[in-house]
Amino acid sequence: MEPKSSRLVANVALLLLFAPNLAAAFNYADALAKSIVFFEGQRSGKLPPGNRMPWRGDSGLSDGAQYNVDLVGGYYDAGDNVKFGLPMAFTTTMLAWSVADFGKYMGAESLAHARDAVRWGADYLLKAATATPGALYVQVGDPGRDHACWERAEDMDTPRAVYRVDAARPGSDVAGETAAALAASSVAFRRADPAYSARLLRAAMDVFDLADRHRGSYSDSLSSAVCPFYCSYSGYHDELLWAASWLHRASSSNASAFFLSYVQAYGTQLGAVEDDYSFSWDDKRAGAKVMLSRVFLRRKLPGFELYKSHSDSYVCSLVPGTNSFQASGQYTPGGLLYKEGESNMQYVTTATFLLLAYAKYLKSSGSGATVSCAGAQVAPGELVALAKRQVDYILGKNPGGRSYMVGFGARWPQRAHHRGASMPSVRAHPARIGCDAGFEFLHAPGPNPNVLVGAVLGGPDAKDGFEDDRGNYAQSEPATYINAPLVGALAFFAGTAK
């Protein structure tokens, strides 16, 4: 058998060949600023003065009114006009985590805009969580009817149906993620706005109680309304663990101890046993384990070493040359992490974020902690190098020489699968464009008339191939949950690259 030390040298050599050195390759501060601007193009509701996507206008101003509920605001998650609670909450959680862990690298202007992006999501989730006692509103819009049209958000006339979860129709997955989002936002605003932070935390606790007390998946309660769009195929146990982890971090004294006890008592039941190799709006296991590894690395609490072990397994699945890499992870020939053919970039940005967050927690432990991969030790710096390879690929260091961020670099996609970007703006064409009339813009061969600045698209296929085709939504559609984790990663490299 090859000695462990030899295998370690080989693994590190392979990783260093795979990932270039950490010299600055791009203007990461510019990419960061643009990645945040994107969220202003996804806003629903009454837009504030100075909204930096000038071709957008107000939309969804009566959302919830027919149910006597104010559900104006929030984000459209991708290229359509439905407000889905689960991906919106995950987006808000990841934006807040970006601010909480990497805000110090953003610079004053980008940090202020990042907080604005968090607040836009958190304000809406507060409404959804507090409008009706004992209920959480989780969706606005009929996805079937919406997807049968191609129209601007400012023109939409499809039904704005409202869906909620409560004791009779449980939704622990979406309620758990909403609790996590509110708690993470509380952390992001702890110093900047203590009163707002406290309000967010109170709401997070109430929503967590709803999620935990009335357990069940919202896709079971609302299947005809959400499936196959945003069903939680991983179940709800991961969201409960994820939410408890964030509530522990956001809370103080007795409340923090309660959520720590919750994790200790129910962690195994809530998904701590299974290793998982992706992190997304649906599956939070890897993210929760990295969060809980932070607890172990800081406090060395008995029982929490389990979470570091599982975090190590996740990271090892991403590191070329480790024993678990071939079985559970793969890269394109050009070096991009590849998980699925549809919107693969969401898995790239979440994995990149976790690599950087875990490297930060390992390094800040002060004990020289490393990742243990079947006996080989991988240092935090190597995780940073691998994360940088992914970021650089997105920004243009790839076989096609193409940036996958709209508006960044010399060559970027011109035909994002996005209704508003693909059609004349309400300023250029004030007259309404109807449901069916809009399809001529979907199928038009030319570039989008409006630049969706900062949007990161679904990305290339397994062989680095990319078709700049508006109709190919698997590759060309942007999403808030692609961008949100990238905000933190770009902040880190903007603040540390030489």
Side-chain angles (χ1 to χ4, degrees):
M1 178 180 290
E2 184 182 10
K4 289 182 180 178
S5 58
S6 298
R7 281 188 282 126
L8 173 58
V9 171
N11 290 345
V12 171
L14 179 58
L15 177 60
L16 293 177
L17 283 172
F18 191 82
N21 63 48
L22 295 183
F26 296 99
N27 184 339
Y28 299 110
D30 181 49
L32 168 65
K34 288 175 177 173
S35 73
I36 299 169
V37 172
F38 164 68
F39 292 94
E40 299 184 25
Q42 296 301 110
R43 285 172 169 171
S44 180
K46 180 71 176 176
L47 300 185
N51 194 73
R52 294 178 297 163
M53 208 70 83
W55 50 270
R56 280 298 321 280
D58 299 341
S59 62
L61 297 182
S62 60
D63 280 356
Q66 69 271 43
Y67 301 91
N68 298 313
V69 178
D70 177 8
L71 295 176
V72 176
Y75 289 114
Y76 306 116
D77 71 282
D80 56 19
N81 300 322
V82 182
K83 296 192 298 198
F84 294 100
L86 186 55
M88 192 193 307
F90 179 70
T91 292
T92 305
T93 305
M94 295 309 299
L95 281 170
W97 198 357
S98 296
V99 169
D101 275 19
F102 300 111
K104 68 179 181 180
Y105 299 117
M106 289 183 180
E109 184 174 357
S110 284
L111 178 58
H113 287 307
R115 285 200 180 109
D116 287 344
V118 176
R119 191 185 289 265
W120 194 269
D123 279 352
Y124 175 82
L125 295 174
L126 270 175
K127 289 182 179 183
T130 59
T132 302
L136 171 68
Y137 292 90
V138 299
Q139 183 174 309
V140 179
D142 182 317
R145 297 285 294 277
D146 178 87
H147 286 201
C149 291
W150 192 265
E151 59 186 355
R152 303 175 297 195
E154 295 84 357
D155 288 338
M156 62 182 171
D157 55 0
T158 52
R160 301 300 285 171
V162 169
Y163 304 91
R164 77 182 205 184
V165 297
D166 49 34
R169 294 161 293 192
S172 300
D173 34 19
V174 65
E177 182 58 69
T178 301
L182 292 168
S185 299
S186 176
V187 174
F189 282 98
R190 182 177 286 157
R191 294 182 180 177
D193 191 340
Y196 183 59
S197 174
R199 184 182 172 207
L200 291 167
L201 183 56
R202 287 193 298 270
M205 290 180 177
D206 289 342
V207 177
F208 179 81
D209 183 67
L210 173 67
D212 188 44
R213 189 183 300 273
H214 306 288
R215 294 189 183 185
S217 295
Y218 89 120
S219 53
D220 294 334
S221 301
L222 305 172
S223 58
S224 64
V226 300
C227 291
F229 297 97
Y230 286 107
C231 296
S232 181
Y233 298 104
S234 69
Y236 59 83
H237 294 305
D238 54 317
E239 275 86 11
L240 291 180
L241 183 65
W242 174 241
S245 304
W246 273 109
L247 282 160
H248 162 66
R249 181 169 174 178
S251 305
S252 58
S253 60
N254 292 338
S256 181
F258 168 81
F259 289 109
L260 196 63
S261 297
Y262 183 96
V263 168
Q264 289 173 314
Y266 299 108
T268 300
Q269 176 188 351
L270 300 181
V273 171
E274 306 95 343
D275 280 327
D276 188 64
Y277 300 102
S278 67
F279 176 47
S280 69
W281 60 263
D282 176 25
D283 195 336
K284 317 300 161 44
R285 283 175 289 180
K289 291 167 187 175
V290 168
M291 278 283 294
L292 292 169
S293 294
R294 176 179 179 271
V295 177
F296 173 71
L297 290 164
R298 289 163 64 97
R299 299 173 58 183
K300 301 298 187 290
L301 292 178
F304 279 76
E305 63 272 14
L306 171 70
Y307 296 105
K308 183 183 184 300
S309 175
H310 283 278
S311 296
D312 284 359
S313 294
Y314 170 76
V315 168
C316 293
S317 77
L318 302 175
V319 177
T322 61
N323 288 346
S324 58
F325 169 71
Q326 292 294 335
S328 55
Q330 64 171 327
Y331 290 82
T332 68
L336 184 72
L337 177 68
Y338 194 82
K339 291 287 186 181
E340 290 189 14
E342 185 173 319
S343 192
N344 176 67
M345 205 65 85
Q346 65 179 301
Y347 304 104
V348 178
T349 60
T350 54
T352 298
F353 185 96
L354 289 188
L355 286 168
L356 293 173
Y358 198 41
K360 170 185 166 73
Y361 301 155
L362 291 167
K363 188 174 180 180
S364 64
S365 70
S367 59
T370 59
V371 180
S372 180
C373 297
Q377 305 304 308
V378 179
E382 293 160 28
L383 307 188
V384 173
L386 181 55
K388 184 174 182 294
R389 178 68 186 91
Q390 300 307 296
V391 169
D392 286 355
Y393 186 109
I394 292 170
L395 297 182
K397 194 168 187 178
N398 55 62
R402 180 197 304 276
S403 165
Y404 287 97
M405 176 182 286
V406 174
F408 181 86
R411 182 171 180 247
W412 41 270
Q414 302 291 313
R415 298 165 184 83
H417 179 94
H418 187 278
R419 287 159 172 74
S422 70
M423 303 173 69
S425 72
V426 290
R427 288 170 175 78
H429 188 288
R432 181 180 174 277
I433 301 174
C435 168
D436 293 330
F439 282 105
E440 71 172 275
F441 301 101
L442 169 63
H443 301 301
N448 288 347
N450 306 309
V451 179
L452 191 64
V453 175
V456 177
L457 307 191
D461 62 25
K463 296 182 179 181
D464 299 301
F466 179 79
E467 187 179 9
D468 188 5
D469 178 0
R470 200 175 294 112
N472 184 355
Y473 67 89
Q475 291 192 326
S476 65
E477 188 167 19
T480 57
Y481 48 82
I482 297 176
N483 267 61
L486 187 62
V487 168
L490 289 170
F492 175 82
F493 291 116
T496 60
K498 304 298 183 184

